[in-house]
Amino acid sequence: MRALRHWWDDTAGGLPATFWYLWAGLLINRAGAFAMLFLSLYLTDARGASEALAGTVVGAYGAGGAAGALLGGVLADRWGRRATLLAAHLTTAGLLVAMAFSRPLGLIAALAALAGVAHSMSSPALVAAIVDVVPAHRRSRAFNLQFWAFNLGMAAASLLAGLLAEASFTALFLVDAGATLIAAVVIGWKVPETLRRAAPAVDLGPPTGSGRTRRPGLYTALTDRTFLVFVGLTFVLAVLTLQTSTIMPLAMRSDGLGPSAYGVVVALGGALIVIGQLFVPRLIDRHRKDVVLAVSTALLALGFGVLAVADDLAVYLGAAVVWTVGSMLAAPPNAQINADLAPPQLRARYQSVFYLTFPAAAFVAPTLGGVSLQYLGDRHWLIVGGLGLLAALGHLLAGPPRERHVAALRRAAGREPTAPADRVSAG
């Protein structure tokens, strides 16, 4: 019992109550996130849309998500984290109810795009709120738990949504809206505003051409070279990770493996994350963040590179273990670096630019990956593996100057680090 208590204190101890309410809201929201999982199936089976039209509607949701990430970052720095989270959740719930009872495909497409905007607005605000309330030396733990809650909720949603869809597609949207409302109630009841209005000034670089200093805003994040290098490396990580849901099913089909085999591979990855993610902090503590990210990206490269010679389910399962471990190791330092690079008064804006990598990768991975697989066959996976190894090298090269930049930001903000800047956690 003492060992279990020590493990729990090491894994989740020292985190403020506000974090746990944010965490609970995320878990509830993700566990009820049914509608978008089955949106394409709903459109083709229940609304009679063609596959091409269904893909267009789902794409509209993704495009809305890109806009929502930027909007959420701006609003979270202006309105506040709590206000943005409540607006995003309540708007999303209303749009889901509207989609449940809408019949014209044009209206559903418009609602899907708006739902993408509202749904993605919450991500920058949520992470900014976590950074606001969690001490720097505990953020690795907090982000690890956030990643775990997200995947635990999605695993539950994947299991329950299939059963619910067989009974009623309308129920998918209504239950999703209900879960979103419950999450909003938790946030509204227990989460205070975490944005500090009187944030210290930051150096935004040279004045504009008119001689006036540029006001802090989204432009600052979009011209921060150190931050953009990190965003670019994260984009590569996202492209690699999305191979599992975009290109791998096609490769498995060409190897004579059916949908059930693909489901087994995906389920294995989800199970590993749910069971093992809580143990990750103890593996990566006291290691440099750039080294951890280089190792995790190299594992992703190795896992996907092996698929060049995969021809049966056992190889796919073994490769899935390798790339899932890589994803698990990457989550805490990736989120922590993103938080460290953001000046306090621009925290949510930086998060919004960071979150643009995911819809961008969701477009690039299937678009270029499909062409590559069609014309290059199994050599596609060698290219993916090589791209991952280059990104791993990029992390090692970018790490030292990035940490010097983070140290300068901390000095400018008047707060010395409580733990070595180049470590994942002081634990």
Side-chain angles (χ1 to χ4, degrees), residues 79 93 146 173 239 248 321 360:
W79 289 359
Q146 177 205 3
F173 291 95
V239 169
M248 190 182 72
V321 171

Side-chain angles (χ1 to χ4, degrees), residues 157-214:
S158 298
L159 292 174
L160 297 175
L163 299 175
L164 197 58
E166 293 183 1
S168 168
F169 279 113
T170 300
L172 282 177
F173 291 95
L174 295 179
V175 174
D176 195 338
T180 306
L181 279 176
I182 293 173
V185 169
V186 171
I187 293 169
W189 181 29
K190 289 294 187 179
V191 176
E193 180 53 61
T194 64
L195 174 63
R196 297 179 181 178
R197 298 292 178 180
V202 293
D203 181 10
L204 299 177
T208 63
S210 63
R212 294 176 297 177
T213 301
R214 188 181 299 276

Side-chain angles (χ1 to χ4, degrees), residues 90-351:
L90 294 174
T91 303
T92 299
L95 290 167
L96 288 170
V97 172
M99 290 179 70
F101 298 106
S102 297
R103 295 297 177 262
L105 290 174
L107 177 58
I108 294 175
L111 292 171
L114 291 174
V117 173
H119 190 257
S120 294
M121 279 174 54
S122 63
S123 296
L126 174 70
V127 177
I130 290 174
V131 177
D132 290 342
V133 301
V134 176
H137 66 286
R138 302 300 297 175
R139 286 176 190 159
S140 177
R141 301 294 199 278
F143 290 130
N144 190 67
L145 288 164
Q146 177 205 3
F147 183 72
W148 182 70
F150 183 91
N151 283 277
L152 180 62
M154 289 301 294
S158 298
L159 292 174
L160 297 175
L163 299 175
L164 197 58
E166 293 183 1
S168 168
F169 279 113
T170 300
L172 282 177
F173 291 95
L174 295 179
V175 174
D176 195 338
T180 306
L181 279 176
I182 293 173
V185 169
V186 171
I187 293 169
W189 181 29
K190 289 294 187 179
V191 176
E193 180 53 61
T194 64
L195 174 63
R196 297 179 181 178
R197 298 292 178 180
V202 293
D203 181 10
L204 299 177
T208 63
S210 63
R212 294 176 297 177
T213 301
R214 188 181 299 276
R215 291 185 62 189
L218 198 58
Y219 175 87
T220 308
L222 293 172
T223 55
D224 185 334
R225 294 181 180 179
T226 303
F227 175 66
L228 291 180
V229 168
F230 172 67
V231 169
L233 292 171
T234 303
F235 171 74
V236 175
L237 180 72
V239 169
L240 265 62
T241 303
L242 284 169
Q243 298 297 309
T244 57
S245 59
T246 57
I247 306 303
M248 190 182 72
L250 303 176
M252 294 183 71
R253 184 179 63 185
S254 67
D255 287 331
L257 299 171
S260 61
Y262 171 69
V264 170
V265 174
V266 174
L268 174 63
L272 286 174
I273 291 174
V274 170
I275 295 172
Q277 190 67 46
L278 293 180
F279 298 94
V280 166
R282 302 191 70 176
L283 294 176
I284 64 176
D285 276 357
R286 294 174 293 279
H287 293 289
R288 292 176 60 95
K289 293 192 285 290
D290 56 322
V291 173
V292 174
L293 285 174
V295 171
S296 65
T297 308
L299 287 173
L300 282 160
L302 176 61
F304 288 112
V306 166
L307 298 187
V309 296
D311 56 6
D312 58 44
L313 181 58
V315 178
Y316 278 98
L317 290 172
V321 171
V322 175
W323 74 58
T324 301
V325 171
S327 297
M328 292 164 62
L329 295 177
N334 208 44
Q336 189 176 353
I337 291 171
N338 185 31
D340 290 343
L341 288 172
Q345 68 267 45
L346 302 178
R347 193 165 277 159
R349 287 176 171 88
Y350 270 64
Q351 294 293 336

